[in-house]
Amino acid sequence: MKQTDYVILGLLSESPLTGYQIKRIIDIRFRFFWSESYGQIYPRLKSLQIQGLIEETDSTIKRNRSQKTYQIKPEGLAALLHWLEQPVERESVRIELLLKMYFSHLITADTMVSHLRGFQEAHEKDLQLIQMAERELKAIIGKDPNHPYVLRVIDFGEKINEAYINWSRETIKFLESRREK
Amino acid sequence: MKQTDYVILGLLSESPLTGYQIKRIIDIRFRFFWSESYGQIYPRLKSLQIQGLIEETDSTIKRNRSQKTYQIKPEGLAALLHWLEQPVERESVRIELLLKMYFSHLITADTMVSHLRGFQEAHEKDLQLIQMAERELKAIIGKDPNHPYVLRVIDFGEKINEAYINWSRETIKFLESRREK
DNA sequence: CGGCGCATGTAACTTGTTACATGATTCC
DNA sequence: GGAATCATGTAACAAGTTACATGCGCCG
């Protein structure tokens, strides 16, 4: 059982989904703290099914024949709960931009500023997406018992992205003031 | 050439180092945005040497026979500069704690609070290490042309870790207020 | 009828970690 | 003499990405 398995089980604990939908949800809702590729998701879905933790829904009314919707089984929920109770292990962060910033006395300020702008813009977009998700959620708040917790996660995304953006702005200013001299 | 190669080249551009020292520097100075294992570093050092980008220093006065100190060659510096100018590509963040927070309506508030405390403490330690590095650097500021840039990276580490810690505190409060009801 | 979004899947590859073996030097 | 730290290295494994192949349904 790897981390990917638990993400899948977690999402399936909310509602039945296809592999494609799982990927999309992770890309949108989890984008600021998680990612998965199809190359991870599809083989894991198969494995979880073989282990008897999830199953295909037998919806005979299939609009699209090439579509498999999975739902969680009690065994899967048990595995999920067990994992949730285990201490948190890994946390991995790799920010190439900071590596370049660290060594940036070797390049021109202009080049570094352009890297920073890219970073800032990417996180401004992220922040907008998160704020959109927040508004959508607040419109239907309470419909699901997980909403308050999801809101805390969204709050994390906002704070961190704001910090990223502010730091970028300050650093660009710093580089520009140096360039003038 | 992979990312690990450039981290190594970057560090060797400042001073000659052994593989062991490289690992230690990454663990201490880059801990909040990067990591490498020996299993990555040693094979890459060999490969960089074969490519002619770095070389062993021929210090005949070797205190420790089983020690290889590498230094960067002009070709290696050129490769480093080229990489620094390329647009930043990857940024990967994986925070298991947020995954658990997202699904935490399935577990007790106590369990989640304990996960959060672990997270908070880990980042309080990180922040202390960063602030120590900052003080040390400010004591010798200006001795190296990269200092102002390094300081910007340190500032990033402080801001982000402070944001992590504040968020943890708020989230713990939130969970504790819920538990009382 | 062409393009886009939905949808599944895999093989080859790259990347990264862990566990282990080995041994010198330093410090108490 | 024993523990800690410095030091190198690899093999097995685990994790993750990319590129590709395939095809349906919908919209304009």
Side-chain angles (χ1 to χ4, degrees), chain A residues 18-21 24 39 42 46 66-68 94:
Chain A
T18 68
Y20 187 85
Q21 291 173 320
R24 217 187 32 192
Y42 284 116
K46 193 174 273 183
S66 68
Q67 182 184 317
K68 288 186 194 171
R94 276 196 155 204

Side-chain angles (χ1 to χ4, degrees), chain B residues 18-21 24 39 42 46 66-68 94:
Chain B
T18 67
Y20 187 86
Q21 291 173 320
R24 216 187 32 190
Y42 285 115
K46 192 173 277 183
S66 67
Q67 182 183 316
K68 288 185 192 171
R94 278 197 153 202

Side-chain angles (χ1 to χ4, degrees), chain B residues 33-94:
Chain B
F33 69 91
W34 206 265
S35 66
E36 295 289 352
S37 61
Y38 290 124
Q40 295 269 93
I41 292 169
Y42 285 115
R44 290 287 91 201
L45 279 170
K46 192 173 277 183
S47 149
L48 287 169
Q49 190 183 16
I50 290 166
Q51 286 173 74
L53 303 182
I54 63 173
E55 63 191 355
E56 270 183 66
T57 57
D58 44 15
S59 53
T60 35
I61 330 114
K62 274 181 181 161
R63 310 180 310 131
N64 188 338
R65 254 152 296 130
S66 67
Q67 182 183 316
K68 288 185 192 171
T69 302
Y70 294 93
Q71 64 184 51
I72 198 164
K73 291 174 68 174
E75 294 88 342
L77 193 59
L80 175 63
L81 291 178
H82 181 254
W83 171 74
L84 283 171
E85 276 161 14
Q86 298 313 113
V88 176
E89 295 158 31
R90 279 192 61 58
E91 183 183 326
S92 80
V93 175
R94 278 197 153 202

Side-chain angles (χ1 to χ4, degrees), chain A residues 146-178:
Chain A
N146 74 358
H147 284 171
Y149 306 96
V150 172
L151 225 44
R152 286 272 80 216
V153 174
I154 287 177
D155 184 64
F156 183 97
E158 285 178 358
K159 297 278 172 60
I160 293 306
N161 276 287
E162 281 162 9
Y164 281 5
I165 294 165
N166 288 334
W167 176 85
S168 303
R169 269 201 256 277
E170 284 169 25
T171 307
I172 290 171
K173 246 185 245 167
F174 159 81
L175 287 171
E176 284 177 343
S177 76
R178 294 208 125 214

Side-chain angles (χ1 to χ4, degrees), chain A residues 42-67:
Chain A
Y42 284 116
R44 289 287 92 200
L45 279 170
K46 193 174 273 183
S47 149
L48 288 169
Q49 191 184 15
I50 290 166
Q51 287 173 72
L53 303 182
I54 62 173
E55 63 191 353
E56 269 183 66
T57 58
D58 44 15
S59 54
T60 35
I61 331 112
K62 274 182 179 162
R63 308 180 311 129
N64 187 336
R65 253 152 297 125
S66 68
Q67 182 184 317

